[in-house]
Amino acid sequence: MSIIIDSGRVAEHNAQLRAGLDADYEALGGMLARRGVDIEHLTEAAQRFAVALPSWGVGTGGTRFARFPGRGEPRNVFEKLDDCAVIHQLTRATPGVSLHFPWDKTTDARALRQQAEAHGLYFDAVNSNTFQDQVDQQHSYKYGSLTATSAATRAQAVAHNIECIELGKALGSKALTVWVGDGANFPGQHNLRGALERYLDSMRDIYAALPADWLLFIEHKLFEPAFYATTIADWGTSFACAQTLGDKARCLVDLGHHAPNTNIEMIVARLAQFGKLGGFHFNDSKYGDDDLDSGSINPFQLFLVFNELADAAQRDGAAFKPAYMLDQSHNVTDPIESLMSSAVEVQRAFVQAQLVDRVALRAHQEANDALQAAQTLKQAYRTDVSAILAMARVRNDGAIDPVACYRHSGYRARVAEARPAKAGASSSGIV
Amino acid sequence: MSIIIDSGRVAEHNAQLRAGLDADYEALGGMLARRGVDIEHLTEAAQRFAVALPSWGVGTGGTRFARFPGRGEPRNVFEKLDDCAVIHQLTRATPGVSLHFPWDKTTDARALRQQAEAHGLYFDAVNSNTFQDQVDQQHSYKYGSLTATSAATRAQAVAHNIECIELGKALGSKALTVWVGDGANFPGQHNLRGALERYLDSMRDIYAALPADWLLFIEHKLFEPAFYATTIADWGTSFACAQTLGDKARCLVDLGHHAPNTNIEMIVARLAQFGKLGGFHFNDSKYGDDDLDSGSINPFQLFLVFNELADAAQRDGAAFKPAYMLDQSHNVTDPIESLMSSAVEVQRAFVQAQLVDRVALRAHQEANDALQAAQTLKQAYRTDVSAILAMARVRNDGAIDPVACYRHSGYRARVAEARPAKAGASSSGIV
Amino acid sequence: MSIIIDSGRVAEHNAQLRAGLDADYEALGGMLARRGVDIEHLTEAAQRFAVALPSWGVGTGGTRFARFPGRGEPRNVFEKLDDCAVIHQLTRATPGVSLHFPWDKTTDARALRQQAEAHGLYFDAVNSNTFQDQVDQQHSYKYGSLTATSAATRAQAVAHNIECIELGKALGSKALTVWVGDGANFPGQHNLRGALERYLDSMRDIYAALPADWLLFIEHKLFEPAFYATTIADWGTSFACAQTLGDKARCLVDLGHHAPNTNIEMIVARLAQFGKLGGFHFNDSKYGDDDLDSGSINPFQLFLVFNELADAAQRDGAAFKPAYMLDQSHNVTDPIESLMSSAVEVQRAFVQAQLVDRVALRAHQEANDALQAAQTLKQAYRTDVSAILAMARVRNDGAIDPVACYRHSGYRARVAEARPAKAGASSSGIV
Amino acid sequence: MSIIIDSGRVAEHNAQLRAGLDADYEALGGMLARRGVDIEHLTEAAQRFAVALPSWGVGTGGTRFARFPGRGEPRNVFEKLDDCAVIHQLTRATPGVSLHFPWDKTTDARALRQQAEAHGLYFDAVNSNTFQDQVDQQHSYKYGSLTATSAATRAQAVAHNIECIELGKALGSKALTVWVGDGANFPGQHNLRGALERYLDSMRDIYAALPADWLLFIEHKLFEPAFYATTIADWGTSFACAQTLGDKARCLVDLGHHAPNTNIEMIVARLAQFGKLGGFHFNDSKYGDDDLDSGSINPFQLFLVFNELADAAQRDGAAFKPAYMLDQSHNVTDPIESLMSSAVEVQRAFVQAQLVDRVALRAHQEANDALQAAQTLKQAYRTDVSAILAMARVRNDGAIDPVACYRHSGYRARVAEARPAKAGASSSGIV
């Protein structure tokens, strides 16, 4: 565990930047006070915010054309956990880790859980994988998994999901996320309705295996790997399935899984309204499921999503608690750096959404004053809350500038030595 | 009524083309027979096919930039009915007419119904209009109708819809189509959830006013006139609303109302599976709600929609009978010509879908033979069924070549004389 | 002229808000100083920034479905100029006005120019209109204007453009913007190549009539009013035409005229690189040519456009001066309010782009440090420069809060009385 | 070479189907004759048609998530050539093979050329690869190749392209296709203009190495592997670069490399008009660069592309000869089957485009008769030319039903035995 960054280094880093932060925090505090806002409420909110890390995100990602490996990529779930620990240590915003099986399967769940606890981490939703064939696998998923025309293939895929629940139980997880790539590349390849009927049959078996306090997240995606018709392609299908399956089934929204021009914040509002919003896979995109860093392409959209979440929280109170997870592919950056800055971007949107003057907003909406309603959102969004986020980190023993502190720590060089590259292979499981 | 084309002219037209048609029909019949298909079954199916005409489609359409009027545009619902009669007379595929209120409101419903019956026409779903302000209207819909924050405006919009039901009852209609343009142009303008709650409240009142044998069609649309967030923007919202309202509420699919790249035939399959497919507004589009002639841009997609309908009909039998309507904007063509050829294109897709060898298709699907499954669809789609469609028209007393017969009839010149142009105004109500 | 807001009212407004602004400005100045940035340089830049107003933008816009008029809409170009004067008086960022003929045609150009000068306004690019038919027009543009198959129609359209140049000369304009809606709604309607050949022939005649110190802006648009194939649909076509025509021909980029997912800032970079960037029509959009308020949907994209402009300015120096114009449709807001806040949003993006540390950015780019390069942009973008913009307005005798000052002034109520509504008609010319 | 299908088997296959084909051909001939068309002209045209095969297409493709290998995948360029030979033997439409280096690099070019000649094949454009790192490569392309900020990396990429020309010369190729994935995943990662400047510098070096009778094809692509800004993203950039480089530089259009809703046939028309249309990578797509089988998703679009090509051929005569190549990824089908049926689909579109009555079309266009112009295209498109394509194959010694003949031949089983699977690896080079 000595590989993790020494807490003394973080304190040293903060000491150097503290005076500047204090000055900025005070300046911002004054500006907010003139708007009638107490900066401390926002800082406290920021301190409480958490978004889970994807275990598969700490390896370098790629495309079908190539993967360009980075240095020191983790070779197993224990090393992934080390990387996640560093991210949480510096940002204090990522206490949860979401595992993916069989990639993260271990024979020693107890050791894994102990390592997590030592790092102050816990295990969020577990993810099944029936979009790849494993070496020892009897039936191929080439033509589908939960929707396969072959009953044996479907049974194998169902069994794997139930195994994921068992693995998750041992680790303290409370949810299973099911994403399947099942679909067709040709018109006619699938009977579209038949495929969804088989999906529902398979999911009923998985649902039946859920512990009472678990949730089942259905993740939809417009396309890729299927390029003509994806069985769970949109929120409408996800919603209809979640309704069919029962109360523990919820819809998971990945920000990159929609048709061009889709208003994602409205989907969030709809799912919240109908009681089926399970959670998020945060990332950003310009074209398709680009899996870019959260907030890097359209930060206003991320804010608008959190504006809906703040509205739902105000309406539904403590009962409303969707799961927040990052899901990104880091092809040209150090994954630890991208995950740190992405966690901060999601946290930023959360804090900005707290800044919205909801009383004024509601009044403008009632009066059909579209311009002032829009400005009310924009005023909150325009506010540079960087000092609040940094102060929240300081108070939680994180780093004022996580990326700078990380770079200075030499962590990447240390793990590069400890983890020699495996030729060709991806540590993430995905290309 | 003498303005309508003389049936003798149609017979004369057919006499000239009949020998060629017979030869083509026989040649095609032979080709189909070699594939084990009896052409007569297809011709009989074609003879039974019907798609309703939109009363607003017989006027020239336009865009927000301009409308370039055509000659002899109908000035009231009686003249629209004349144009619809000509379309049906020549195609024999359009016995239904869908009215739009208040545009088509008449004080003499009895006379209108008699005129329709004389032409062999009946009235399909009626459409309400709360996306425009009328001269005598108390509350403006500038900021919404069924979703308006003003209770008085909502009540007015509800009352208009109930009036539409009354008007439809007098004409023999059995369904109300509700499309609202309600939505927001700015983030923040609407409370997204609040707007849908108000919509559902309003729709509950309308639903309560439905006769027992009526259906309520909910039409969704991604954007325009609202450009940031449309309240009923996608099939997921439409579906959730239809479920909330009750069994008589169904979803209406307009082919041009979806996000780019959307797989529309899959939406058709989903709505059929969950028992909520109400009907269609057929048209074609390349960019947005372009309202182009059916089958003019992507005829294969139209075929794939009918392939799903044929699958659903096979599964669900006589209980499955969604409403078929055209909904197009004819900006550069004679609307009568466009509606005739569009009706034929929809009919063509219907007949091609009947040609699909469903036993072979199912076998290829079960065997994951994607290539042959796709080819099974393509073989049906590739078949040029023009001779079948023409023969079906001949047998139903329509014209072999409706556009040629219409042009030769001089109908447009006659109505141009009878209906002098109104300066500037659109006869369709829309631009 | 007494209708314009009294300058004493503006001073009074500023006096009330001045202390708060000073405090915010000082706080921001301190934060920037800690980053090594002198706030005064930014304020001076903001003071110099200008974006032209579209005369057609001060009327209420609409869609093909409806237009919901506002109160006190201007009825002629003189009244439009009054509204533009108010916008400039309060924002001090909009000294130019872009006219549209024949909508803004006047027999008294001298009086118009005098009124403009009295308001501190000048005339920017003039716009021709061959996408609508005028009452007294001989040949219709229903089937095209500069691309029409009819030589007489093309000649008429060319003559109108040359008349626009003459009108512009009398007003002191230095550029003609040509946007044509010409295109096809059906595959086959146009010979695609023939249409562009005719376009180029027509444009050569217009180009030949340009004064030596004028520019010709070619504006492309993906679709609407043509829904299958627009002759000048993309920047590639615009660029090829500008090259063909000569050095005075340049490309104009309207932010809403692109295919979904298009990277617009890259088009800006390309046109700048190849010496053909003529100018902009600023607005924002989510779906198509939505003509929403600038920066209301994707403010980061607007910033990225200005980041490219700052890069080009750094490379090309004073020679690089594209024209900046707003082009929006205000359907649910007071157009004056929307234009004021939009001008401020464009100015905001301009100032934020000045804040980018270009030395650091270049270094990160050279080192392939994608994360820090991105953060360098984000740091500038995140900075809330509202106090800078307000201070720039104060120093230029504008209003600290233009919308509040405008609302308090009672201007809209005064013009509502002076300009009784014309039934039905749009003041903008567009729906 | 004995592995190839015995010609006797093909003859036997044809003998069984010949009577049916003759009957269909005669029936179709009659129908065409009644429209004034001589079927023999079309059959002769079909016999002359050729589209090149991509060597990388005979292996099974995949996505970044997974690749599901097929049986008997070729392990080297000689085995790939065998598969291509079978495709050409049965379709007689694919005499050219397009190689990709270093995947297809061989030390024995002479043997390769001899094998090709023995199969009646020749080598079409060669493709370079600087989007992947090779084992022995000095500089990584992780951050770009021809656009890399590192001069050494650029030089390496240029040298590879020049080596490709040398390899191509030895094989008789006459063109180099350059596709680079270079681009940025983050705003700010690239200086957009600097990247294109470096690209042009690199390309100038490659261009200088081109033999006098070679062409250089520039292939653009909107996104993937770069997800924010691709350096050669659209036809406008490709065109500007081709112009900058010189007459031998041309633009290559891949049907899947465009933004949603793009009118691709118009791009074809533009490039033809400006003399820069180099060639095509044919495939089909619904969402992105899906690389689906040609004509499987939107066959009418493929026809419209060929309609533009027929128009250009009529205008420009023999000088107009763009290169036709397939470029597809076969993830769920036997690649040989997909390539055979795709070649036939492209040939089908070519023949249908020959069927267009261009005199009538031009007349309708001149008369602005949009409806009849569209119907003129549709009549040609609707014609089922399957019998013509089959007869052309028979006359060229191909198979009436290539897929059936192939399946019956047992070729796949034979190569499955001869080519044991390599664990994990892709034979195509791409995932």
Side-chain angles (χ1 to χ4, degrees), chain A residues 130 139-150 153-154 157 181-183 189-190, chain B residues 368, chain D residues 68:
Chain A
T130 62
H139 306 286
S140 170
Y141 297 132
K142 182 167 190 167
Y143 304 110
S145 59
L146 297 179
T147 75
T149 53
S150 149
T153 306
R154 291 199 304 276
D182 292 37
Q189 180 183 345
H190 268 193
Chain B
N368 296 308
Chain D
F68 298 97

Side-chain angles (χ1 to χ4, degrees), chain C residues 309-323:
Chain C
L309 293 171
D311 181 80
Q314 198 182 38
R315 287 165 172 268
D316 302 337
F320 181 75
K321 39 182 182 180

Side-chain angles (χ1 to χ4, degrees), chain B residues 60 62-66 68-70 130-133 140-143 179 185-187 189 221-230 260-261 285-293 296-297 329 331-333 338 429-431, chain C residues 60 62-66 68-70 130-133 140-143 179 185-187 189 221-230 260-261 285-293 296-297 329 331-333 338 429-431:
Chain B
T60 296
T63 70
R64 65 179 165 131
F65 296 102
F68 298 97
T130 62
F131 51 84
Q132 293 179 322
D133 286 350
S140 171
Y141 296 132
K142 182 167 189 167
Y143 304 110
W179 173 66
N185 274 3
F186 290 84
Q189 180 183 345
K221 181 175 175 180
L222 184 67
F223 73 100
E224 191 208 24
F227 290 120
Y228 162 66
T230 299
N261 300 350
S285 65
K286 188 162 179 66
Y287 304 100
D289 185 27
D290 308 333
D291 279 332
L292 299 179
D293 284 18
S296 64
I297 301 296
S329 181
N331 302 357
V332 295
T333 54
S338 269
I430 302 182
V431 177
Chain C
T60 296
T63 70
R64 65 178 165 132
F65 296 102
F68 299 97
T130 62
F131 51 85
Q132 293 180 321
D133 286 351
S140 170
Y141 296 132
K142 181 167 189 167
Y143 304 111
W179 173 67
N185 275 2
F186 290 84
Q189 179 183 346
K221 181 175 175 179
L222 184 67
F223 74 100
E224 193 206 23
F227 290 120
Y228 163 66
T230 298
N261 300 350
S285 65
K286 187 160 181 68
Y287 304 99
D289 185 27
D290 308 334
D291 280 331
L292 299 180
D293 284 18
S296 65
I297 301 296
S329 182
N331 302 358
V332 294
T333 55
S338 269
I430 303 181
V431 175

